[in-house]
Amino acid sequence: MKQPMEPSFPRPLATVDVVIFTVLDERLHVLLVQRLDDADDPFPGMWALPGGFVDIDKDRDLEACAKRKLREKTGVTSPYLEQLGSWGSTKRDPRGWAATHVYFALIPADPVVLEKGANAQDVRWFPVTGKNVVKKLAFDHAMILDTALERLRNKVEYTSLPVYLLPDEFTLSDLQRVYEIVLERPIEKSAFRTRVLSSDMVEAVSKMREGANRPAQLYRLKNPGSLVYFPRTFKPRREMD
Amino acid sequence: MKQPMEPSFPRPLATVDVVIFTVLDERLHVLLVQRLDDADDPFPGMWALPGGFVDIDKDRDLEACAKRKLREKTGVTSPYLEQLGSWGSTKRDPRGWAATHVYFALIPADPVVLEKGANAQDVRWFPVTGKNVVKKLAFDHAMILDTALERLRNKVEYTSLPVYLLPDEFTLSDLQRVYEIVLERPIEKSAFRTRVLSSDMVEAVSKMREGANRPAQLYRLKNPGSLVYFPRTFKPRREMD
DNA sequence: CTAAGATAGTTGCACAATAGCACTAAGTAA
DNA sequence: TTACTTAGTGCTATTGTGCAACTATCTTAG
């Protein structure tokens, strides 16, 4: 009943996919690529999460593989990157037993220029509202995207995650707006400011943001790359499930 | 610079490992197996997390594979099972590029009889205190176990996770004790009871637990298998990192 | 020069939830 | 009946929040 420990045992396919989020035009967007029409790959012409096979020559480890795929599509080299999970089964890929390691990334919209690369027909940002994005995605990517959205929205309730959707320097109003965009509900200004400032996650920059109205204080992250956990969610009476 | 989409692309090894926790003698324990001495497998004689190659004939999906491995060692068929993450790199297995999908399971200590199976020399519960368990584990399992412990302790702060370390029926004192064992610190009784009861996660059973002292009310889970998220951690001023 | 409009940021109060600690309740055993 | 042990409750100070009004600082129109 036991399996042999030989490495020659038949191996599943191994891929890495990345769910890349950004905020564009006051809305959350996710990056999708359109698969080639004429290839004899599965799901031709359909939209999918960016990703592909692990390259055992090029990729030191899974995270490096995810970073490479992100860089190839967006040029971004230092995103917020976190593992979302892995999905493997005999049915999710018509070519056979396949397992994908999924990461999710947050990047600021600013400097991004999309590149479709050789394997894709098109690359595009898709707005995300409520639950659905595109009805049908290749493989089980629609389900994976749902899971990523759930994780994002859930984690935003009690962490500093959304800073990674903004450029290095930002105002507290900017930050609050991103929280509201992701959570799709307004947040109390006073409570928000108290929480963010008392969490010690940001420090003031000497500059102020110019504009048509009163200039706002600019802040930046104290520990770039790290996550701050708030002691509670924004709306205590709301279920966190 | 792009990878070919052919499924014949060289594939990494794919394994599944399970971090199995239980409470024994008022202490948290983890299940480890000792690898065969005489095999020409890597890390002979060393202790490791239970796991092994994905069997593309036997295992419908990754979770089924994890459940199978848990069942083979402990006989337990309905544990709390959650994905911990995946680790893959060119260095973690001397046989080549290997990726492991790791799950973590919580089971009640009661009915468990360990079975070492054909691939192991020994199976045993190891107490977990502070950080380290056994100095050296096979592969990168020591690091994986650390991550599992961190996740467990972190999640216990604000969820109902520890119920899955208890039998179906338990008292609130039992439950509090498990929290204290995992977190390695005392918890305020009154606050604890209020939180658990107001979260609506348990329902009273008509029986009472007999004993030398005042009998305690027995409770059971309202929605077995589910997790309840509390609105905040047990100690608000403590960092959750 | 002044007033209007907009965004930034603060203050005060009522309310809800919890930590901390002391207290009561219900059993056993001498 | 008293001592002991574990189960369970009550009270209060503190803390964070929702809410809403208030002040501050800029630009632009007239």
Side-chain angles (χ1 to χ4, degrees), chain A residues 11-18 35 40-42 49-62 64-69 72-73 92-101 119 139 141, chain B residues 1-12 97:
Chain A
R11 306 174 182 192
L13 293 163
T15 61
V16 167
D17 294 304
V18 192
R35 296 169 66 80
D40 47 6
D41 291 331
L49 296 170
F53 291 104
V54 173
D55 186 328
I56 65 175
D57 295 320
K58 225 185 283 183
D59 301 316
R60 231 185 309 282
D61 53 38
L62 289 174
C65 179
K67 273 189 177 149
R68 175 170 63 79
K69 285 164 196 308
E72 287 171 356
K73 297 296 177 199
R92 56 179 300 277
D93 190 316
R95 292 165 295 193
W97 220 108
T100 182
H101 305 262
N119 274 337
F139 304 99
H141 288 188
Chain B
M1 298 308 275
K2 288 309 217 158
Q3 297 177 50
M5 286 296 276
E6 274 74 51
S8 54
F9 205 76
R11 307 175 180 190
W97 220 107

Side-chain angles (χ1 to χ4, degrees), chain B residues 28-229:
Chain B
L28 186 66
H29 284 69
V30 65
L31 189 75
L32 297 177
V33 302
Q34 190 177 29
R35 296 169 65 80
L36 293 176
D37 249 338
D38 49 302
D40 48 6
D41 292 330
F43 302 102
M46 291 188 74
W47 290 91
L49 295 170
F53 291 106
V54 173
D55 186 328
I56 65 176
D57 296 318
K58 224 185 283 182
D59 300 316
R60 230 186 309 280
D61 53 38
L62 289 174
E63 189 171 310
C65 179
K67 273 190 178 151
R68 175 171 62 81
K69 286 165 196 307
L70 177 79
R71 185 169 13 91
E72 286 171 357
K73 297 296 176 199
T74 66
V76 172
T77 55
S78 60
Y80 174 84
L81 193 66
E82 158 180 331
Q83 202 181 66
L84 179 65
S86 56
W87 281 265
S89 83
T90 191
K91 312 190 88 171
R92 56 181 299 278
D93 190 316
R95 291 165 297 193
W97 220 107
T100 182
H101 305 262
V102 183
Y103 284 77
F104 93 81
L106 304 183
I107 61 176
D110 267 354
V112 174
V113 182
L114 300 182
E115 284 169 41
K116 65 176 194 292
N119 273 338
Q121 204 166 288
D122 204 353
V123 201
R124 216 180 287 173
W125 289 113
F126 284 79
V128 171
T129 327
K131 279 231 165 191
N132 277 334
V133 188
V134 185
K135 313 275 180 195
K136 300 266 182 198
L137 293 184
F139 305 100
D140 48 5
H141 287 188
M143 185 268 292
I144 292 175
L145 175 54
D146 275 353
T147 306
L149 265 173
E150 200 181 309
R151 168 97 136 242
L152 173 66
R153 295 220 171 94
N154 188 31
K155 211 156 178 180
V156 162
E157 293 276 4
Y158 58 93
T159 71
S160 59
L161 252 193
V163 288
Y164 296 106
L165 295 167
L166 291 175
D168 286 350
E169 303 193 343
F170 50 86
T171 69
L172 288 190
S173 301
D174 292 341
L175 188 56
Q176 183 177 347
R177 198 164 305 119
V178 183
Y179 272 89
E180 292 174 336
I181 288 168
V182 176
L183 295 177
E184 295 188 316
R185 72 161 192 266
I187 289 180
E188 232 293 311
K189 180 167 57 164
S190 165
F192 180 80
R193 302 177 75 90
T194 311
R195 284 181 61 146
V196 170
L197 292 177
S198 72
S199 78
D200 211 43
M201 55 179 268
V202 294
E203 59 189 0
V205 179
S206 54
K207 292 169 280 181
M208 299 292 241
R209 162 165 310 170
E210 310 287 326
N213 308 305
R214 174 175 175 176
Q217 178 64 251
L218 279 173
Y219 292 89
R220 69 165 163 239
L221 267 190
K222 252 186 180 167
N223 300 309
S226 73
L227 260 201
V228 172
Y229 289 78

